[in-house]
Amino acid sequence: MTTSRQLFEIAKKRIPGGVNSPVRAFRGVGGEPFFVKSASGCRLTTVDDEVLIDFVGTWGPAILGHAAEPVIAAVRETAGRGLSFGTPNPLEIEMAETICRMVPSVQKVRMVNSGTEATMSCIRLARGFTGRSKIIKFEGCYHGHVDSLLVKAGSGALTHGNPDSAGVPEALARLTVTLPFNDPDAIAAAFAANPGEIAAVILEPVPANAGLYLPEPHFLENLRNICTRQGAVLIFDEVMTGFRLARGGAQEIYNITPDLTAMGKVIGGGLPVGAFGGRAEIMDCLSPDGPVYQAGTLSGNPIAMAAGLAQLCEMERTDGWSTLEKTGAAFEAATREVIQGLPLTFQRIGSMFCLYFHEGPVRNLQEAMGSDRVRFGKFFHGCLSDGVYFAPSQFEAGFLCTAHSPADIEQTAKVVQKNLARVF
Ligand code: HOZ
């Protein structure tokens, strides 16, 4: 059997950096990535025959764990009837009805193939709807690799030290106003400095691409009010938090109604899916009803719809969100016990978490950047050697799934304790 090391050498010859998405190259922690041959529940099996407890969950989609039976069954059953039609299919309607029922701010929705497509389309739609050009985003928030959103971005852009990507024309970047998160005064000042010019404010309501930090009380509410007053479109990027933190995502938890929402990950059950939706009045500006163009050959793909619907349906049938909250609380309690007295900050909401190598507080990008990334890298590799896979970057969130058992949490806490003792 070819080892991960051998495969990576081969991959680097044909794939830039040997990977199809930068964080996977492990540059944020040093060393080389492993290759996976199979996954089941909360475990990955590498080509080197190592079994790892997985806290990445394919970066969010695997909310029921890997290869969840209802999802695999739906894919098998649907695939037998054809892989793609390029015509309307009934599963698209079922998905649209399900999303609109679960996320009440979404009155109409369009399916796309990734979170990036979803945020990109939201921006275009907001510009088309308002007739304005500028957008506001927040430092450390990552909305996929959309040109105008790769400004002070998080996730891989931040991990690899280029939050302002090369290749984004300055003229375009100038249309993006970037503000610190959790700072209401900065928002008021930005609107005052750009009167009648802001088409949209886009944010991850719970930023999870610079680790994980939470909105402070009233931050989102204030943002909602100012957007309403100023006629700007409020866009929640719930690609990570949607259908995960609650049935209705972060907007349900914080009780805020955005105008548009970008979605993805969980609704694809592990297949490439995104969606965006919101107020009918805005969504009706999309082609063919309106003048804002957006399209996709594989959008609404029947296999992806079937996988996503099966996952959402299973989450509802089993009230997966309660299970995730219990698991999250147990994971938090176990982690807090082993980090006592160390200069670390643990943050969690539902099934998402981050352990910052920093004494905190962490409320924005600047504070997240204070983390000791060298120490994090050593901790990461120690845990990996002991069979626990956390995200290979201090600036990515961790994910729990319904397949993590109390025994997995207990085992993980022991590994965390052992490796913290090694690095401190
Ligand atoms: N930037 C993604 C997570 N926030 C990582 C995607 C991947 O490498 O698969």
Side-chain angles (χ1 to χ4, degrees):
M1 168 75 78
T2 316
T3 64
S4 285
R5 175 151 292 176
Q6 290 164 334
L7 286 173
F8 194 47
E9 283 311 309
I10 302 167
K12 281 191 285 189
K13 292 190 184 128
R14 291 292 181 203
I15 305 172
V19 290
N20 281 312
S21 192
V23 186
R24 300 179 197 177
F26 274 31
R27 301 232 180 127
V29 287
E32 292 182 350
F34 56 81
F35 282 65
V36 170
K37 66 176 176 188
S38 65
S40 174
C42 68
R43 283 180 167 69
L44 301 174
T45 304
T46 72
V47 297
D48 315 294
D49 282 327
E50 276 159 14
V51 177
L52 305 170
I53 304 182
D54 179 19
F55 289 95
V56 178
T58 187
W59 305 94
I63 200 163
L64 298 170
H66 298 281
E69 207 277 319
V71 179
I72 299 293
V75 168
R76 283 210 173 100
E77 207 264 314
T78 313
R81 297 199 298 269
L83 299 182
S84 172
F85 309 133
T87 67
N89 73 76
L91 289 169
E92 294 170 295
I93 305 174
E94 215 181 306
M95 178 58 92
E97 297 282 9
T98 303
I99 291 175
C100 294
R101 176 173 56 76
M102 292 174 103
V103 189
S105 73
V106 176
Q107 295 170 336
K108 285 193 175 179
V109 59
R110 184 163 275 179
M111 300 308 298
V112 290
N113 301 291
S114 68
T116 292
E117 271 186 65
T119 56
M120 177 186 77
S121 307
C122 283
I123 295 295
R124 186 180 306 137
L125 183 53
R127 284 175 166 154
F129 176 71
T130 59
R132 303 173 182 176
S133 298
K134 290 191 180 171
I135 53 169
I136 291 178
K137 81 173 282 287
F138 293 89
E139 293 165 4
C141 280
Y142 175 72
H143 306 288
H145 55 99
V146 181
D147 275 354
S148 38
L149 298 174
L150 268 181
V151 183
K152 299 214 169 103
S155 189
L158 184 61
T159 301
H160 298 104
N162 40 10
D164 303 298
S165 172
V168 175
E170 215 190 298
L172 207 55
R174 267 203 298 273
L175 296 177
T176 305
V177 178
T178 312
L179 304 178
F181 196 79
N182 272 330
D183 183 347
D185 295 342
I187 298 165
F191 272 101
N194 298 278
E197 290 185 285
I198 306 292
V201 177
I202 185 167
L203 76 160
E204 299 177 78
V206 176
N209 277 292
L212 179 88
Y213 40 82
L214 306 180
E216 299 205 302
H218 309 304
F219 177 70
L220 299 176
E221 200 183 319
N222 174 64
L223 201 50
R224 174 63 279 177
N225 292 339
I226 198 160
C227 284
T228 305
R229 279 201 309 275
Q230 299 282 346
V233 175
L234 178 62
I235 305 169
F236 272 15
D237 176 347
E238 294 234 44
V239 171
M240 291 168 99
T241 51
F243 312 92
R244 172 170 280 279
L245 295 188
R247 181 184 276 97
Q251 55 194 269
E252 177 183 315
I253 293 180
Y254 292 99
N255 194 23
I256 303 289
T257 305
D259 298 304
L260 292 177
T261 302
M263 297 160 271
K265 301 211 190 246
V266 167
I267 48 167
L271 290 178
V273 165
F276 65 101
R279 268 167 56 199
E281 180 197 5
I282 304 179
M283 292 301 288
D284 286 341
C285 292
L286 277 179
S287 183
D289 282 348
V292 178
Y293 198 71
Q294 186 280 328
T297 296
L298 294 172
S299 298
N301 173 270
I303 319 297
M305 297 303 93
L309 283 166
Q311 177 146 276
L312 293 174
C313 179
E314 186 65 4
M315 281 296 286
E316 288 205 304
R317 191 187 68 78
T318 57
D319 191 11
W321 296 283
S322 301
T323 309
L324 288 173
E325 180 50 37
K326 274 189 211 127
T327 307
F331 183 69
E332 174 165 358
T335 307
R336 290 207 184 280
E337 200 174 314
V338 299
I339 68 171
Q340 257 180 54
L342 296 172
L344 297 166
T345 301
F346 180 80
Q347 305 202 132
R348 174 187 77 90
I349 177 163
S351 57
M352 296 172 75
F353 65 88
C354 179
L355 180 63
Y356 285 106
F357 278 60
H358 177 14
E359 49 201 351
V362 183
R363 297 162 297 193
N364 53 37
L365 176 64
Q366 206 196 342
E367 289 172 351
M369 293 298 283
S371 304
D372 183 340
R373 280 164 271 168
V374 174
R375 213 169 230 162
F376 172 80
K378 289 185 188 149
F379 168 77
F380 166 86
H381 278 292
C383 291
L384 191 59
S385 305
D386 288 333
V388 172
Y389 177 49
F390 291 120
S393 164
Q394 172 72 96
F395 301 123
E396 297 287 350
F399 294 95
L400 293 156
C401 68
T402 57
H404 283 109
S405 69
D408 296 321
I409 300 303
E410 207 179 301
Q411 189 181 335
T412 302
K414 283 191 190 135
V415 168
V416 168
Q417 184 170 34
K418 175 180 158 194
N419 286 289
L420 287 176
R422 267 195 198 148
V423 301
F424 282 101

